[in-house]
Amino acid sequence: VGTAAAGTAVSSFWGSLMAARIVFGLVRVQEPLPRWLFAAMSIGLLATVALGFGLHHGVSIASGALIGFACGPIFPWLIAETPQRLGSRHGANAIGVQIASAAIGLSLAPTAIGVLAERYGVNAIPWGLAALGALLLIAFGALERCK
């Protein structure tokens, strides 16, 4: 991939992630938040699988942008929903645990994906991300069943 295409892909991802945070920060969602979370996680997973197939540079750039837009609201929505799930007594502590867990994940996930890429090549990166996306959906499903 050329430098210009790579720069476009990275900018599209981060730009769409920022756009999603702005859009969903300003627009109140009408449906129950768990439906929106499931949809965002599912769209992110499907876009990651599309990225894995790498059909064309344009498709890969669009997939990356869609991944960014789908991932944008997930963390803020999960944080926002925590007090409703656990009540005000435990909500603040749980949010602290969520933030700490996110920090750990921000260290471990790129390391694991990097090891995967070193061992199997750069084309393994989207598949590793898809595995993480699938784990996220499974964990969210388990969380929803605990209600």
Side-chain angles (χ1 to χ4, degrees):
V1 175
T3 305
T8 300
V10 171
S11 297
S12 296
F13 170 80
W14 288 109
S16 65
L17 187 126
M18 180 192 69
R21 295 256 170 111
I22 292 169
V23 167
F24 291 111
L26 296 173
V27 175
R28 182 181 163 111
V29 295
Q30 298 300 318
E31 293 291 319
L33 202 50
R35 284 189 193 164
W36 282 89
L37 281 161
F38 179 77
M41 291 174 194
S42 298
I43 290 167
L45 176 58
L46 292 173
T48 305
V49 169
L51 182 64
F53 285 114
L55 303 172
H56 183 270
H57 291 307
V59 173
S60 295
I61 291 170
S63 295
L66 187 55
I67 293 165
F69 196 82
C71 288
I74 293 173
F75 184 72
W77 280 345
L78 286 171
I79 295 294
E81 191 177 62
T82 298
Q84 287 81 23
R85 284 186 186 275
L86 300 176
S88 60
R89 181 171 182 216
H90 298 292
N93 291 338
I95 290 171
V97 171
Q98 285 174 305
I99 300 293
S101 298
I104 292 168
L106 283 170
S107 299
L108 296 180
T111 301
I113 298 297
V115 168
L116 186 68
E118 185 175 332
R119 183 166 191 162
Y120 298 105
V122 72
N123 292 330
I125 292 172
W127 299 111
L129 294 173
L132 290 175
L135 286 173
L136 177 63
L137 265 172
I138 291 166
F140 182 68
L143 177 67
E144 284 298 297
R145 282 190 295 279
C146 290
K147 277 186 168 178

